Amino acid sequence: MKTYTGAPYPADTHSPLQRRLLRNASSPARAPQSDALRLQAPPLVPEVHLFLAEDAVLLWARLEAEAGHRLPAPFWATAWAGGQGLARYVLDNPHLVAGRRVLDMASGSGLVAIAAAQAGAADVVANDIDAYAVAAMHANANANGVPIRISDEDLTGGDGGDVDLVLAGDCLYSGDMAARMLPFLGRAMRRGATVLLGDPQRGYAPAGLLRTLATYPLIQPGAVGDQHEWVSVMTPIAVELAS
C-alpha cells in the first residue's frame, strides 16, 4: 500500500509520529484495511479531506501495540458531528472568519481549523493536547494545502489570548469536558471574542445560555462514529457561561 506523502510539503517534513500514524494510509485509497487510516471527505464537509479511521477501535488497538503502552482513544481519527456542523457553518459564512485570528479548541483531526483557513482566516491555531492529534493535524493540513499553527498546550485555564474567534466543535462531549470548556469559553467571550460551538445535542450544553444559529441533518448518521441525526451551531448569549 502506497503511503501518502502529504501536499504541498515533502514527506521528510513529517515527524516520526506522523510517519507511524500514516504508515498504512494511502491516497488514492487502495484496498481498505480495518485497522488503518484512509484519506476521505466527511459527509457534511466535502471540501476537506482527512485521514480518518476505517475502524477507530481496531486502529486504537494497533497504535497501542506499536507504542507498547496504553494510549488515549483516537478521537482525532473520526470526523465528529459537532466538528462537521461547525466546519460547514464556517465555510458557508466565510465573513465570520475572513481576516480574523481564529482558535480551534480540542481540534482533533483539525477539521474546523482547516475549514477556517479555507474560508480566509488571517491566522488559525488548532489546539489539542493529544500528541497523535497533533501529528494528524499536521498531516491533514498538509493534505489540504492550508497553513495552520498547532498548539499542544492545555489552554482551558486562560481566555484565548488575543484571538478574535474561538471555535469549539464537539467540545461538550462529557460532563468533565464541559466543566473545563464552558468557563474558558465564557472568559473568551468576556474579553470580546466571538464564540461558536458545534454540538449534536449531547446534553451538556447549558440550557438557555446558547442561541442556535444553524442546524444541519447529518448525512449517514453513525457512519463516522456518531449516532446523532442533527447537529447545531450555537453561540453564547451571556458571559454567565463561565459561572
Side-chain angles (χ1 to χ4, degrees):
M1 181 176 286
K2 180 182 178 182
T3 299
Y4 183 76
T5 59
Y9 310 109
D12 58 9
T13 66
H14 290 162
S15 68
L17 187 56
Q18 262 181 277
R19 289 194 290 272
R20 185 195 311 169
L21 185 115
L22 297 175
R23 186 171 298 145
N24 290 325
S26 65
S27 176
R30 306 312 202 259
Q33 290 182 229
S34 57
D35 65 347
L37 298 165
R38 180 167 62 88
L39 191 67
Q40 54 190 296
L44 265 185
V45 199
E47 299 92 331
V48 177
H49 288 77
L50 304 170
F51 288 105
L52 302 176
E54 296 283 358
D55 184 309
V57 174
L58 293 179
L59 172 68
W60 189 8
R62 178 172 68 80
L63 292 176
E64 284 192 332
E66 290 182 352
H69 56 80
R70 296 294 298 272
L71 295 171
F75 295 133
W76 50 266
T78 294
W80 296 98
Q84 287 197 54
L86 189 52
R88 181 71 271 148
Y89 188 76
V90 164
L91 288 169
D92 289 346
N93 298 275
H95 65 280
L96 296 173
V97 301
R100 304 183 78 188
R101 295 164 296 183
V102 176
L103 171 63
D104 178 26
M105 290 293 289
S107 190
S109 67
L111 169 59
V112 178
I114 291 166
Q118 290 181 338
D123 181 65
V124 181
V125 176
N127 172 249
D128 205 294
I129 61 173
D130 185 333
Y132 281 84
V134 169
M137 287 188 286
H138 278 295
N140 290 329
N142 287 357
N144 288 276
V146 296
I148 62 174
R149 295 191 293 123
I150 295 173
S151 165
D152 62 358
E153 300 177 46
D154 184 349
L155 302 180
T156 55
D159 62 6
D162 62 355
V163 302
D164 306 306
L165 173 64
V166 177
L167 302 174
D170 241 318
C171 288
L172 307 182
Y173 58 80
S174 71
D176 289 344
M177 189 62 176
R180 295 169 60 193
M181 189 62 64
L182 290 172
F184 166 82
L185 297 176
R187 289 190 295 272
M189 185 179 175
R190 182 177 288 116
R191 66 161 182 78
T194 302
V195 172
L196 298 177
L197 299 93
D199 189 79
Q201 302 174 7
R202 296 188 186 281
Y204 299 104
L209 294 181
L210 297 171
R211 177 166 59 94
T212 299
L213 302 173
T215 301
Y216 300 99
L218 288 172
I219 304 169
Q220 299 173 318
V224 289
D226 224 335
Q227 300 300 319
H228 298 83
E229 295 185 0
W230 297 86
V231 59
S232 296
V233 175
M234 300 171 289
T235 190
I237 59 176
V239 296
E240 284 77 10
L241 198 65
S243 62

